[in-house]
Amino acid sequence: GENVEQHPSTLSVQEGDSAVIKCTYSDSASNYFPWYKQELGKGPQLIIDIRSNVGEKKDQRIAVTLNKTAKHFSLHITETQPEDSAVYFCAASDFGNEKLTFGTGTRLTIIP
Amino acid sequence: ETGVTQTPRHLVMGMTNKKSLKCEQHLGHNAMYWYKQSAKKPLELMFVYNFKEQTENNSVPSRFSPECPNSSHLFLHLHTLQPEDSALYLCASSPGLAGGHEQFFGPGTRLTVL
């Protein structure tokens, strides 16, 4: 089955700087890669996703890049703000399969 | 109510108790999921239902018993749990069978087994 590894497990960034979280996956059949943000006391919320037919996707301060050859994808947050502090999860799935395999999460702390 | 709701939000139970977790989605979705979230572990998929039919049981112990009476409601019946079952239980829904669709999560039920 699919295995997703996520690094780092914790990340502290000065407000205004950029944050990068990286994930690798094992199943070459995976073609859907969402990123979720989980705030304290809440369930995970999708913030951005990418499919294997594109290499990069951007939504305001958030971007995701995908390298299918190397089987890794990354989340980039620019101009970080205190409200970006949360736990971020990457995930992967085969589009024909409703199962998502999640990484172990990255606790991002933005230092004011 | 909007999105995915879960009740109760917190539950403390003894190992001999029987309790149920409830999930309801107001999104018109056809697939529903139960996940277990423990500290420092990935989200663990437990069960998947598509159009009320169970399509995935991820080797979950029989002390967890899911029920999906319709596409909007999902239950997780609990009995004779162990302390290691203490975790956050998350429910999610998505549009349907094809996958690759966003899963919408509820806020979770924080379960403590004494």
Side-chain angles (χ1 to χ4, degrees):
Chain A
E2 176 65 277
N3 182 50
V4 176
E5 295 191 359
Q6 183 172 347
H7 299 280
S9 56
T10 60
L11 179 61
S12 294
V13 173
Q14 206 71 37
E15 183 179 352
D17 289 349
S18 297
V20 180
I21 302 170
K22 298 182 179 182
C23 288
T24 60
Y25 62 98
S26 61
D27 189 349
S28 56
S30 289
N31 51 20
Y32 175 62
F33 307 93
W35 285 89
Y36 285 83
K37 175 184 181 182
Q38 187 173 22
E39 297 175 288
L40 199 62
K42 297 184 179 180
Q45 281 194 301
L46 181 78
I47 55 172
I48 195 165
D49 58 13
I50 192 167
R51 297 172 198 267
S52 60
N53 57 345
V54 298
E56 184 174 356
K57 184 176 177 181
K58 192 172 179 181
D59 182 4
Q60 298 183 329
R61 296 186 297 109
I62 294 172
V64 57
T65 58
L66 171 65
N67 183 328
K68 282 224 77 179
T69 304
K71 295 201 198 110
H72 65 71
F73 56 112
S74 301
L75 177 72
H76 304 254
I77 306 174
T78 58
E79 300 171 20
T80 52
Q81 300 168 5
E83 54 265 35
D84 295 328
S85 294
V87 179
Y88 291 81
F89 294 94
C90 62
S93 84
D94 168 1
F95 194 84
N97 183 344
E98 66 269 6
K99 288 173 57 175
L100 283 175
T101 301
F102 284 85
T104 48
T106 296
R107 181 172 298 280
L108 175 64
T109 303
I110 307 302
I111 305 165
Chain B
E1 290 279 13
T2 58
V4 180
T5 58
Q6 290 186 243
T7 54
R9 294 294 310 276
H10 300 271
L11 178 62
V12 179
M13 58 187 288
M15 289 190 284
T16 58
N17 291 159
K18 289 184 181 181
K19 296 286 184 184
S20 295
L21 310 185
K22 179 183 176 183
C23 175
E24 184 172 1
Q25 59 96 359
H26 308 268
L27 300 167
H29 288 165
N30 298 307
M32 296 188 78
Y33 310 75
W34 279 117
Y35 287 89
K36 176 182 179 183
Q37 186 174 34
S38 305
K40 299 181 180 177
K41 284 187 177 180
L43 273 79
E44 299 172 56
L45 179 66
M46 300 174 72
F47 302 102
V48 182
Y49 279 81
N50 272 291
F51 295 91
K52 303 187 297 178
E53 297 297 321
Q54 188 181 118
T55 56
E56 182 81 21
N57 177 337
N58 202 21
S59 303
V60 180
S62 59
R63 56 186 184 270
F64 295 90
S65 175
E67 179 190 0
C68 189
N70 55 61
S71 292
S72 298
H73 294 86
L74 185 64
F75 295 89
L76 189 63
H77 305 298
L78 316 171
H79 63 99
T80 58
L81 294 191
Q82 305 298 311
E84 59 264 29
D85 297 322
S86 298
L88 182 69
Y89 289 84
L90 291 161
C91 173
S93 71
S94 74
L97 278 167
H101 295 286
E102 177 179 357
Q103 289 188 19
F104 290 78
F105 284 84
T109 295
R110 173 69 63 185
L111 174 67
T112 303
V113 181
L114 301 175

